[in-house]
Amino acid sequence: MDTLTIIATVVLLGGITLGIAMGLPVAVAMGLPSALAVVILLDWDGAALTSAQRIFSASNSFALLAIPFFILAGGLMNTGGIASRLIDLALVVAGRLPASLAQTTVVANTMFASVSGASVASAAAVGTVLAPRMRKDGYDPAFSAAVNAAASPAGMLIPPSNTFIVYSLVSSTSIAALFMAGIGPGLLWALVCVVVVALYARKHPELRSAAARPTFAQGLLVFLKALPALLMIVVVIGGILTGIFTATESAVIAVLYSFVLGLVQRTLPLRALPKVILEASKVTGIIMLLIGVSGILGWVLAFARLPQMITSGLLGLTDNVAIILVIIMVILLLAGTVMDPTPAILIFTPIFLPIVTSLGVSPIHFGAMMVFNMCLGNISPPIGNNLFVAARVGNVRLEPVISRLWPFFWALCVGLFIVAFVPALSMWLPTVLGLVAP
C-alpha cells in the first residue's frame, strides 16, 4: 500500500469515527471523509467525477424502489387504524399468558411489524395504545416501556424488512431468500421476549392474572376484524414466492392494499394522506442519501483493498469459523450502539462478507446474523431509536427504562449466538422453498 493510499484510509476511517463521535448526521459523517479520501487518491476533477458516478450508481437500483413503497405502506397502515385491530387480536392470543398485557405488547409488536416492516412505527403504535392500560393495571411504567422497546425490532427481521433490502443491495443476494431467512430469527426474537416477560411475572405474582378472557365467539370476531391486515403479509410474501411479482413490485402491492383496506374500513381519512406521504418521503430521503454516499465509501474501500487486508489479518490470527464469527459479532454489537442499522450495514457488509464467505458461511445466513445484531443496536443506548420512542410514548424517563431493558438485552444476545451458530434457523426455510441451493 503506497503512502497516498495509507493517508486516504486514515482520513476515511478517522473522519467517519470523528464525525459520528461529534454527532454529525451519519450521511455527512460518511460522505465527507469518503469524498476527501477520493480527492487524496485522485485529482480534483477525477474526484468530482468519480464521486458523482458512485452516488448515482449506488442509488440507481430497481430493487431500492421497494424501500419507499414499504415505508409508505407502513405509514398508511399505522394511520389507518390497523394497529388497534392487531392489538385486539394480540390480547386474545396472549390473554392466558403470565403478565398478559406485557405479553400482548410482544405479540402485538410482532404482528404489526410483520405487516408494516417498520420497528420504530411499531413501538410508537403499540406503546401509545397499551402503555396507559399497563399503567392502569399496576405495571411499572419503565418495565412497560422496556418490553415495548425490546419487542419492536422484530419487524427488522420478519418480512417485509427494509433492512434486508439494504443488505441485499450491498451483498448482491436474493431479497426473497433474505425475507424467508429472517422469519426464524424474528420468531426467536419474539420468543425470547415472551420468556423474559414470563420470568418477570414469576417475581411479580400480582401481574400473573390474565385480563378478562374472551369467549370463542368474541375471539373469532376479533380475528376476523384483524384478518384483512394479516392477509397483507400473505399477499406480499406469497406473491414473491410464487413468482407473481418481484420484491419491488410487492411493495407497490402493499401500498395499494393498505390504501384500499383503509378506505373500505373507513379508517384512513383522505386528509391524512399528504402527511403520510411527506413522512415517508423524509425517511426515504435519509435512507437514499446514506446509500448514495456509501457508493463513494465502497469505491475507496475497494481502491485501498481494505476488505482484503482485514480478511488476511483475521485469517492470519485464526481460521476457526466460530472465533471469527464471535469477533465479528462483538464488533457489530459495539457499532450498533452508536450507529443506525442502514449505515452500519452499508459500511460493514463489504468488509466482513468476504471474510465469512471465504470460510464457507452463506451470505444469506450472515445477513440474518447481521440484521439481528442491528436489532440489538436499535434498543441499545446511546443511539437506539426504539428505546427513545418507547420511553417517549410510555411517558417515562429514559434511565429507568434502560435498567429494565438489560434482562431482555442479554437474553437476546444469547439469541444472537443461536442465530450465528445454528444456521438451520435462518437457512431451512429459504432452502426448502428453493430460494438457495441446499
Side-chain angles (χ1 to χ4, degrees), residues 211-231:
R213 297 174 181 177
T215 63
F216 175 79
Q218 291 171 331
L220 181 61
L221 180 61
V222 170
F223 173 75
L224 291 176
K225 288 183 178 180
L227 184 60
L230 295 174
L231 282 177

Side-chain angles (χ1 to χ4, degrees), residues 1-361:
M1 182 181 291
D2 58 44
T3 304
L4 282 180
T5 304
I6 294 175
I7 295 173
T9 302
V10 171
V11 168
L12 176 71
L13 300 181
I16 292 176
T17 303
L18 180 62
I20 292 174
M22 291 173 60
L24 294 176
V26 178
V28 176
M30 286 174 56
L32 287 181
S34 300
L36 184 56
V38 179
V39 172
I40 294 172
L41 295 170
L42 306 174
D43 56 43
W44 280 98
D45 291 340
L49 180 60
T50 299
S51 299
Q53 288 177 336
R54 297 311 303 173
I55 291 174
F56 177 78
S57 61
S59 308
N60 185 28
S61 170
F62 180 73
L64 284 179
L65 284 174
I67 292 179
F69 284 113
F70 275 131
I71 292 171
L72 180 57
L76 289 171
M77 298 198 80
N78 195 15
T79 305
I82 301 300
S84 60
R85 295 173 184 266
L86 293 177
I87 290 171
D88 289 340
L89 179 59
L91 280 167
V92 173
V93 173
R96 297 177 181 272
L97 296 175
S100 58
L101 280 179
Q103 301 286 19
T104 297
T105 301
V106 176
V107 176
N109 268 297
T110 305
M111 287 181 178
F112 185 77
S114 68
V115 297
S116 71
S119 62
V120 173
S122 177
V126 174
T128 300
V129 175
L130 285 179
R133 297 180 62 171
M134 295 177 73
R135 188 186 295 264
K136 181 179 178 181
D137 280 19
Y139 284 81
D140 176 9
F143 173 74
S144 302
V147 174
N148 189 26
S152 55
M156 293 170 58
L157 289 160
I158 299 176
S161 166
N162 291 329
T163 314
F164 274 130
I165 295 174
V166 174
Y167 175 83
S168 171
L169 171 73
V170 184
S171 62
S172 301
T173 49
S174 164
I175 295 178
L178 287 168
F179 277 2
M180 293 301 100
I183 292 178
L187 294 177
L188 174 65
W189 184 286
L191 178 61
V192 169
C193 292
V194 166
V195 171
V196 174
V197 170
L199 293 175
Y200 179 86
R202 292 186 62 181
K203 296 183 178 181
H204 297 80
E206 71 278 7
L207 301 179
R208 292 189 192 179
S209 58
R213 297 174 181 177
T215 63
F216 175 79
Q218 291 171 331
L220 181 61
L221 180 61
V222 170
F223 173 75
L224 291 176
K225 288 183 178 180
L227 184 60
L230 295 174
L231 282 177
M232 192 189 88
I233 188 67
V234 177
V235 171
V236 171
I237 302 302
I240 295 174
L241 295 179
T242 56
I244 297 176
F245 40 73
T246 66
T248 304
E249 293 165 345
S250 73
V252 181
I253 298 296
V255 171
L256 181 62
Y257 188 97
S258 304
F259 179 69
V260 173
L261 181 62
L263 293 182
V264 171
Q265 295 181 338
R266 298 182 179 181
T267 55
L268 179 62
L270 291 178
R271 64 179 181 275
L273 284 180
K275 182 179 179 181
V276 173
I277 295 173
L278 178 61
E279 290 301 318
S281 301
K282 289 179 179 178
V283 176
T284 300
I286 293 171
I287 294 176
M288 293 306 297
L289 180 59
L290 285 169
I291 291 173
V293 298
S294 75
I296 309 175
L297 172 65
W299 185 90
V300 177
L301 292 177
F303 190 94
R305 298 182 58 82
L306 193 60
Q308 292 86 339
M309 292 173 56
I310 295 175
T311 300
S312 300
L314 277 178
L315 295 180
L317 292 174
T318 177
D319 59 357
N320 187 298
V321 179
I323 294 176
I324 290 179
L325 284 180
V326 170
I327 293 173
I328 291 175
M329 283 192 294
V330 171
I331 293 173
L332 290 176
L333 275 173
L334 294 175
T337 62
V338 295
M339 297 182 68
D340 286 331
T342 298
I345 288 174
L346 292 170
I347 291 173
F348 290 103
T349 300
I351 295 174
F352 290 138
L353 187 59
I355 299 175
V356 297
T357 52
S358 68
L359 296 172
V361 177

Side-chain angles (χ1 to χ4, degrees), residues 369-385:
M369 185 186 86
M370 193 171 195
V371 173
F372 204 103
N373 257 289
M374 296 301 102
C375 289
L376 282 167
N378 244 23
I379 62 173
S380 304
I383 301 297
N385 290 330

